[in-house]
Amino acid sequence: MSMVTSVREGNRLALARVLTQVENATDEGRACLNDLFPYTGNAHLIGITGSPGSGKSTLVNKLAYMFRHPPEGDRPRRVAVVAVDPTSPFSGGAILGDRIRMRDLAGDADVFIRSMATRGSLGGLAARTADVVQVFDAAGYEVIFIETVGAGQTEVDIARLAHTIIVVESPGSGDDVQAIKAGILEIADILVINKADHPMVENTERALRSIFDLALLDSSHHHPDEESLEYPSATKKGWQIPILKTIATEGVGVELVYQAVTQHAQYLKQSREWLRREQIRLQSILDTLLQHELVERWRKSTSSEIYQNVLKELISRRISPYQALQILINGVTND
Amino acid sequence: MSMVTSVREGNRLALARVLTQVENATDEGRACLNDLFPYTGNAHLIGITGSPGSGKSTLVNKLAYMFRHPPEGDRPRRVAVVAVDPTSPFSGGAILGDRIRMRDLAGDADVFIRSMATRGSLGGLAARTADVVQVFDAAGYEVIFIETVGAGQTEVDIARLAHTIIVVESPGSGDDVQAIKAGILEIADILVINKADHPMVENTERALRSIFDLALLDSSHHHPDEESLEYPSATKKGWQIPILKTIATEGVGVELVYQAVTQHAQYLKQSREWLRREQIRLQSILDTLLQHELVERWRKSTSSEIYQNVLKELISRRISPYQALQILINGVTND
């Protein structure tokens, strides 16, 4: 409890310790989370994603700086950045990223940056990211960036933890057909074309606008699978998704993104959409935990010998994967 | 059974029907898979992945054509292409892709191309891709390309279904730090730098080589998480991963990739690595099915009312996600 109190009182060392416990999913970390959870629900969670090389990290840097030093009339916010890299098996990427960030924001006690790398266990990453975000939220960080690399489903899952999703693209990163495939466009609340000094910027903007119109058109016919949560397109009513051009390295256009982010927070709160996203977000966190726990329990309840025998039959092709599944599931004894 | 016989005898219409049943996960599809499974295990499964815009589809096209019209001394193979797009919620991308492919390969009865798009239910996609690949394998397709978009974990999971993994990059798609983050490099058996007429090609090659050396160095200290299968780096012993340059649109360098692919198949078979990958592949398929089934069973065994009540408590922050999990799991009654 005293650890939790220290975190709530702004003790950075206590915060760092709790974050480590939470990342490592220790019993202590889980106990802290339970105690901290009632204090969550105040932060504005901002997901930021896009292709590798689009300049996301630089943009997050500049946005974080702007939330610390806002335009006249706005109050400075306490800012946390959670940089998640689901694809990198090397810690090198994340560490290097941190060092580059430090230049702008070092020494500011109201900025906390945390990199999360993974070594293969992806099922847990979205859950652990959610946990880390909760700790920052309870610790009084008012704006929390969740930055992810790439365009795969894990990134989409992680971005789904946010209230506001910024998708960053850069010009010339692919042809038109491939751009359609990037796919994460449909989750965007704010679209940013970074590196806007690139000669191809007009083409990219045109391509994005047309894909985007198509997507919005398409979404009216869209019936999500049972498994998926109906998150994006339909909920965009009442919010005109801006397409903004930036040159993040030089700070150009960053204030426009800042304005869009704060306007989106206002829109969410006025339209009850904030509450709806909170509900979806917490349900998604719960479902992920459930899935993980069910598999763990099954593993504990099944003898490794039975599993290995079935696997052997499968590998020798005496039984099919579905037949193997039936044998394993029907042999389960729960306790 | 007669459907299965027709598929085995090369009836394309029967094949297309079974593929549809399998993709839709119908009972009929599952029955066909069980009957077909003993006939699998002969195809060379080639995963091909890389950033959007790297020219993967074009390269697959050209490679497929080369397997149909091989250099003197080689036998033409029957080729299937399974194009998986885990990120696109629009069918547009996949359909468009198909139309572009057709030009080269249309009219060849020994080539079969199947696009799989998804609408959000990602858990199922890797499993359904595995199923579709099994059908092609049992139907006598000797070379099966599994093409995926992007660099996220889902793509890695899908690529893991293959014996040989080709990673395609293109020059100038990101700076050096970001390139490290691309991360899928570590799963590559063959590295291709496509669009090699791009002025930045030398930089990209240098960056890839240094990242690659770093990765191989790093892998000796690498202890994978319990959850992850120890698949890549350590197993690369005895196989020198080639870095090949291509201009796929003009066919330049494609024969080198073809040679590398066939050499890799030889290496796998001579070194018993083929068998090891088969085992890992089938275990991964089984584990995915298990996870999905356990969640399904839990859902059926738990009343929606209990779940909704717990969710309500969670959303009002009276209980934490981990406390919600405990209540739900301990309230489970299995049948």
Side-chain angles (χ1 to χ4, degrees):
Chain A
M1 266 303 272
S2 92
M3 191 67 119
V4 167
T5 311
S6 302
V7 167
R8 294 270 304 144
E9 283 171 354
N11 182 326
R12 280 175 78 95
L13 190 61
L15 175 57
R17 275 189 193 153
V18 169
L19 288 172
T20 302
Q21 295 296 328
V22 162
E23 263 202 90
N24 294 335
T26 64
D27 288 344
E28 191 190 330
R30 208 165 270 207
C32 287
L33 270 175
N34 288 344
D35 291 337
L36 286 170
F37 189 73
Y39 303 104
T40 62
N42 303 308
H44 184 194
L45 311 182
I46 303 166
I48 184 156
T49 189
S51 320
S54 58
K56 282 179 303 298
S57 300
T58 311
L59 184 62
V60 169
N61 259 15
K62 300 283 178 176
L63 278 173
Y65 188 85
M66 187 148 271
F67 273 100
R68 295 295 306 134
H69 308 88
E72 196 140 325
D74 285 8
R75 190 170 57 76
R77 311 291 169 118
R78 297 184 70 206
V79 178
V81 177
V82 183
V84 190
D85 190 342
T87 58
S88 173
F90 317 122
S91 52
I95 289 165
L96 205 49
D98 270 3
R99 211 173 302 157
I100 290 166
R101 282 171 202 286
M102 290 315 251
R103 261 180 264 147
D104 282 346
L105 302 166
D108 186 337
D110 287 320
V111 176
F112 205 112
I113 296 167
R114 187 84 180 184
S115 289
M116 300 181 68
T118 177
R119 289 186 173 274
S121 71
L122 256 291
L125 186 60
R128 280 184 293 132
T129 303
D131 289 350
V132 163
V133 168
Q134 279 164 27
V135 173
F136 279 121
D137 188 350
Y141 287 86
E142 301 166 276
V143 171
I144 303 172
F145 290 97
I146 306 160
E147 176 193 335
T148 63
V149 172
Q153 182 62 23
T154 314
E155 291 81 353
V156 172
D157 288 342
I158 290 168
R160 196 175 265 167
L161 299 173
H163 299 112
T164 300
I165 296 173
I166 305 176
V167 174
V168 186
E169 293 294 338
S170 60
S173 57
D175 59 16
D176 290 3
V177 176
Q178 294 289 352
I180 293 174
K181 292 192 171 183
I184 41 169
L185 288 182
E186 84 152 10
I187 64 168
D189 297 304
I190 296 164
L191 252 171
V192 174
I193 307 174
N194 192 30
K195 304 187 179 179
D197 48 349
H198 189 286
M200 294 283 283
V201 66
E202 303 303 328
N203 298 36
T204 304
E205 189 177 359
R206 211 175 305 120
L208 283 178
R209 280 194 194 281
S210 63
I211 290 160
F212 213 50
D213 293 346
L214 186 72
L216 288 178
L217 210 69
D218 194 54
S219 70
S220 52
H221 308 287
H222 184 285
H223 293 280
D225 289 5
E226 283 169 54
E227 289 171 63
S228 76
L229 295 160
E230 347 178 16
Y231 192 57
S233 322
T235 71
K236 298 290 162 74
K237 280 170 198 155
W239 172 253
Q240 177 82 34
I241 295 148
I243 301 184
L244 305 171
K245 282 180 279 190
T246 58
I247 311 170
T249 47
E250 297 169 25
V252 175
V254 175
E255 187 165 343
L256 291 176
V257 182
Y258 167 86
Q259 300 292 2
V261 168
T262 52
Q263 278 162 21
H264 191 248
Q266 280 172 18
Y267 152 78
L268 288 176
K269 283 178 175 165
Q270 282 163 8
S271 65
R272 298 178 53 86
E273 180 66 16
W274 182 280
L275 187 67
R276 215 183 67 85
R277 291 197 179 195
E278 276 289 294
Q279 291 175 354
I280 290 171
R281 197 170 68 78
L282 289 171
Q283 181 168 8
S284 157
I285 288 170
L286 178 59
D287 288 349
T288 305
L289 289 180
L290 260 174
Q291 176 180 313
H292 198 254
E293 182 73 14
L294 288 169
V295 172
E296 276 306 294
R297 292 211 159 200
W298 182 85
R299 279 199 194 284
K300 281 180 193 153
S301 73
T302 306
S303 89
S304 157
E305 200 189 331
I306 292 173
Y307 178 82
Q308 291 300 334
N309 282 341
V310 168
L311 189 59
K312 212 181 284 175
E313 293 283 295
L314 173 64
I315 287 165
S316 63
R317 289 191 161 74
R318 280 191 290 272
I319 56 174
S320 79
Y322 288 106
Q323 288 160 339
L325 175 68
Q326 287 310 315
I327 295 168
L328 285 177
I329 289 279
N330 293 333
V332 171
T333 50
N334 272 71
D335 38 9
Chain B
M1 267 304 272
S2 91
M3 192 66 118
V4 168
T5 312
S6 303
V7 167
R8 295 268 305 141
E9 283 171 355
N11 181 326
R12 280 176 78 94
L13 190 60
L15 176 56
R17 275 191 193 153
V18 169
L19 288 173
T20 301
Q21 297 294 328
V22 162
E23 264 203 90
N24 294 336
T26 63
D27 288 344
E28 193 189 329
R30 207 165 272 206
C32 287
L33 270 175
N34 287 344
D35 292 338
L36 286 169
F37 189 73
Y39 302 104
T40 62
N42 303 308
H44 184 193
L45 312 183
I46 303 166
I48 185 158
T49 189
S51 321
S54 59
K56 282 179 304 296
S57 300
T58 311
L59 183 63
V60 169
N61 258 16
K62 301 282 177 173
L63 278 173
Y65 187 86
M66 186 146 272
F67 273 99
R68 296 297 306 135
H69 308 89
E72 196 138 324
D74 285 7
R75 189 171 58 77
R77 311 290 169 118
R78 297 184 68 207
V79 179
V81 178
V82 183
V84 190
D85 191 342
T87 58
S88 174
F90 319 122
S91 51
I95 291 166
L96 204 50
D98 270 2
R99 211 174 301 158
I100 290 166
R101 284 172 201 285
M102 290 314 252
R103 262 180 260 146
D104 282 346
L105 302 165
D108 185 337
D110 287 320
V111 177
F112 205 111
I113 295 168
R114 186 84 178 185
S115 288
M116 301 181 67
T118 176
R119 289 187 172 272
S121 70
L122 256 291
L125 185 60
R128 281 185 292 132
T129 302
D131 290 348
V132 162
V133 168
Q134 279 164 28
V135 172
F136 279 121
D137 188 350
Y141 288 85
E142 302 165 276
V143 171
I144 303 174
F145 290 98
I146 306 161
E147 176 194 336
T148 63
V149 173
Q153 183 60 23
T154 314
E155 293 79 354
V156 173
D157 288 343
I158 289 168
R160 196 174 264 164
L161 299 173
H163 299 113
T164 300
I165 298 175
I166 305 175
V167 174
V168 187
E169 292 294 336
S170 60
S173 55
D175 59 15
D176 289 2
V177 176
Q178 294 290 352
I180 294 175
K181 292 195 172 183
I184 41 170
L185 288 181
E186 83 153 9
I187 64 168
D189 298 304
I190 296 164
L191 252 172
V192 174
I193 306 174
N194 193 32
K195 305 188 180 176
D197 48 349
H198 190 285
M200 294 282 284
V201 69
E202 302 304 328
N203 298 37
T204 304
E205 190 177 359
R206 211 174 307 122
L208 283 178
R209 281 196 194 278
S210 63
I211 289 161
F212 213 49
D213 293 346
L214 185 71
L216 288 178
L217 210 68
D218 192 56
S219 69
S220 53
H221 309 284
H222 184 286
H223 293 280
D225 286 7
E226 283 169 53
E227 290 173 59
S228 75
L229 295 160
E230 343 176 19
Y231 193 59
S233 323
T235 71
K236 298 289 161 75
K237 282 169 196 157
W239 172 252
Q240 178 82 35
I241 297 148
I243 302 184
L244 306 170
K245 281 179 279 189
T246 58
I247 311 170
T249 48
E250 295 168 27
V252 175
V254 175
E255 188 164 344
L256 291 177
V257 183
Y258 167 86
Q259 301 290 4
V261 168
T262 52
Q263 278 162 20
H264 191 248
Q266 279 172 19
Y267 152 77
L268 289 176
K269 283 177 176 164
Q270 282 162 8
S271 64
R272 299 179 50 86
E273 179 67 14
W274 181 282
L275 187 67
R276 215 183 66 85
R277 292 198 179 194
E278 276 289 292
Q279 291 175 356
I280 290 171
R281 198 171 67 78
L282 289 171
Q283 182 169 6
S284 158
I285 288 170
L286 179 58
D287 288 349
T288 305
L289 289 180
L290 260 174
Q291 177 180 314
H292 198 255
E293 182 72 15
L294 288 170
V295 172
E296 277 305 294
R297 290 210 161 201
W298 182 85
R299 278 198 195 285
K300 279 179 194 151
S301 74
T302 306
S303 89
S304 155
E305 201 188 331
I306 291 172
Y307 178 83
Q308 290 302 333
N309 282 341
V310 169
L311 188 59
K312 213 181 285 174
E313 294 283 295
L314 173 64
I315 288 165
S316 63
R317 289 190 160 74
R318 279 190 290 271
I319 56 175
S320 80
Y322 288 105
Q323 288 162 338
L325 174 68
Q326 287 311 318
I327 295 168
L328 284 177
I329 290 278
N330 294 331
V332 170
T333 49
N334 272 70
D335 39 8

